Amino acid sequence: MKKRSGITVSLCMIVKNGEKVLARCLDSVRDLMDEIIVVDTGSNDGTKKIAARYTDKIYDFKWTGDFAAARNFSFSKAGCDYIYAADADEVLEGENRERFRALKETLLPEVEIVQMYYGNQLSHGTVYNYDRELRPKLFKRLRGFQWIEPVHETVRLLPVVFDSDIEITHLPQENHASRDLAIFAGLVKGGSALSERLAGMYARELFISGSPGELQEAEEYFTAVADGDETSPEQMKEAVCLVVKAARSRGDFLKMYRYAMKDVASDGVSEVCFELGEYYFGQGEYQEALIWFYNAAFETQSILDIRCCRELPVGRLAECYEKMGLWEQAGEYRRKLAYGNLPEIADA
């Protein structure tokens, strides 16, 4: 491809069975890229045939269950100034394409990572608890080490990061939770120590998309995290949410209540309040359920699943009042649902 002024960019993708979305993604960025690299991790559909319409730099990588290893392999094939990491279910649209084009012409050479907004996160039950977040997407391929500080000088270790206003639209065709949860379960079963970040991702994906069986399979792990002496307060809350939900799903209400109180005794979160509301709703104790659903919706914040402080408890409040024959109060909450009069979703 012809080299432009400004920086050059290698697009690096890892793909598998992406024939339904790959062309859509590449059509949206092909004219912005100076090089396109596609790494296939075992497709048995037309993915590689589609990729060949856009590039001859197509590589096979034997899948090992490690996304980082596949990403590193794709990056190793890049030859431009910067690397743009994209998934096949992403699209760069409209003014965001022009923002990317302008970024290529104006990016300062000292910038090593550019973050871009990743949008449309909540529409397909993804692992994220917000609809829009900044993510690192563009990476300087070669990093030069620099000395800093006028005295007691040291080498700058942290990268120079620029937060752009470019927004990428995430348009997945399906939910990948079962794939991800199987990887998480394998890591835990194999004795791998999950970082706090990865444990939080595991908790969020389980809470949002996990089946009762997957919840119960992970319950022992998250119980140990909740009880750990070195567990941070936020990680403890995430783990408690999972333990409470798993215990309720298998009918161990004593354990459910005991771990719920670990959270409520501090600064409660919406997920635990919602689970307690679900317990009392299932017992037909609607007056008690009202208290917990109200707290979930209006008195606490969510930590894993934003729906637990929005439409889920508001809907249950309406149902509780209907069960009690209090139609006026039920109508109030039905209207909140109908008109979207719910707490705002914040960016991350």
Side-chain angles (χ1 to χ4, degrees):
M1 296 185 184
K2 185 179 179 181
K3 183 179 174 74
R4 304 175 179 88
S5 59
I7 65 167
T8 58
V9 179
S10 299
L11 170 64
C12 288
M13 305 180 70
I14 59 173
V15 296
K16 182 179 180 181
N17 294 338
E19 66 177 7
K20 293 181 180 178
V21 294
L22 181 58
R24 181 184 66 187
C25 173
L26 290 173
D27 284 339
S28 76
V29 298
R30 66 186 304 179
D31 60 317
L32 300 171
M33 301 298 148
D34 300 278
E35 177 181 52
I36 295 175
I37 294 162
V38 177
V39 172
D40 189 275
T41 61
S43 295
N44 53 23
D45 65 359
T47 295
K48 292 205 292 186
K49 186 176 180 179
I50 292 169
R53 303 204 305 253
Y54 299 85
T55 181
D56 59 357
K57 296 181 178 181
I58 303 169
Y59 303 90
D60 290 310
F61 182 82
K62 186 176 180 179
W63 180 243
T64 63
D66 187 336
F67 281 97
R71 293 279 187 204
N72 286 334
F73 178 78
S74 73
F75 274 33
S76 74
K77 301 299 182 182
C80 292
D81 302 328
Y82 283 78
I83 299 171
Y84 179 60
D87 290 327
D89 57 7
E90 299 173 9
V91 176
L92 199 62
E93 299 176 307
E95 64 182 345
N96 292 297
R97 286 173 33 79
E98 298 313 310
R99 288 170 179 164
F100 195 107
R101 200 184 307 277
L103 179 75
K104 288 187 65 177
E105 300 301 322
T106 60
L107 188 66
L108 296 175
E110 59 264 32
V111 173
E112 293 164 321
I113 295 175
V114 177
Q115 297 205 115
M116 301 176 188
Y117 283 101
Y118 207 66
N120 198 40
Q121 289 288 71
L122 296 177
S123 63
H124 289 80
T126 62
V127 68
Y128 298 96
N129 199 32
Y130 28 79
D131 205 43
R132 187 172 180 261
E133 64 157 344
L134 276 170
R135 280 192 186 183
K137 295 294 292 181
L138 188 67
F139 305 86
K140 195 167 190 178
R141 186 173 65 86
L142 297 177
R143 185 182 183 194
F145 289 101
Q146 292 184 325
W147 290 90
I148 56 173
E149 310 293 5
V151 65
H152 299 301
E153 67 280 3
T154 187
V155 171
R156 177 172 55 79
L157 300 178
L158 296 176
V160 178
V161 180
F162 171 66
D163 293 344
S164 76
D165 57 358
I166 298 169
E167 181 166 347
I168 299 154
T169 303
H170 187 212
L171 297 171
Q173 293 281 305
E174 58 186 9
N175 189 310
H176 299 298
S178 58
R179 175 201 68 188
D180 295 347
L181 292 175
I183 294 174
F184 280 122
L187 290 170
V188 169
K189 187 176 290 186
S192 297
L194 301 184
S195 66
E196 185 168 342
R197 171 187 170 274
L198 206 55
M201 298 287 280
Y202 187 17
R204 187 168 294 113
E205 195 150 12
L206 261 177
F207 197 92
I208 294 172
S209 303
S211 67
E214 289 166 332
L215 281 166
Q216 288 155 27
E217 184 180 9
E219 183 179 350
E220 182 179 352
Y221 169 76
F222 283 103
T223 299
V225 173
D227 292 339
D229 293 335
E230 302 299 320
T231 301
S232 70
E234 181 169 357
Q235 193 177 14
M236 186 273 287
K237 286 182 174 294
E238 292 171 343
V240 162
C241 291
L242 263 297
V243 173
V244 169
K245 187 169 185 175
R248 185 181 68 80
S249 74
R250 62 182 178 82
D252 188 346
F253 302 131
L254 180 61
K255 183 175 183 180
M256 174 202 76
Y257 200 78
R258 181 159 57 89
Y259 278 83
M261 291 306 101
K262 288 171 73 80
D263 175 65
V264 174
S266 56
D267 185 15
V269 296
S270 299
E271 288 82 354
V272 170
C273 292
F274 181 77
E275 287 298 315
L276 288 171
E278 287 287 88
Y279 165 71
Y280 286 111
F281 187 88
Q283 298 295 310
E285 298 184 34
Y286 304 118
Q287 189 68 51
E288 190 69 25
L290 279 172
I291 295 170
W292 292 107
F293 288 136
Y294 185 88
N295 274 278
F298 302 110
E299 299 294 338
T300 54
Q301 297 293 319
S302 78
I303 194 172
L304 294 176
D305 184 354
I306 194 73
R307 298 173 304 165
C308 287
C309 70
R310 290 171 52 82
E311 59 266 30
L312 294 181
V314 171
R316 282 301 206 202
L317 283 166
E319 290 182 66
C320 285
Y321 281 118
E322 288 165 353
K323 294 285 188 181
M324 297 164 67
L326 299 172
W327 307 110
E328 184 178 346
Q329 292 93 327
E332 176 186 345
Y333 289 106
R334 288 293 178 200
R335 285 189 291 276
K336 285 182 181 293
L337 281 175
Y339 295 109
N341 187 15
L342 302 168
E344 293 294 323
I345 300 173
D347 292 344

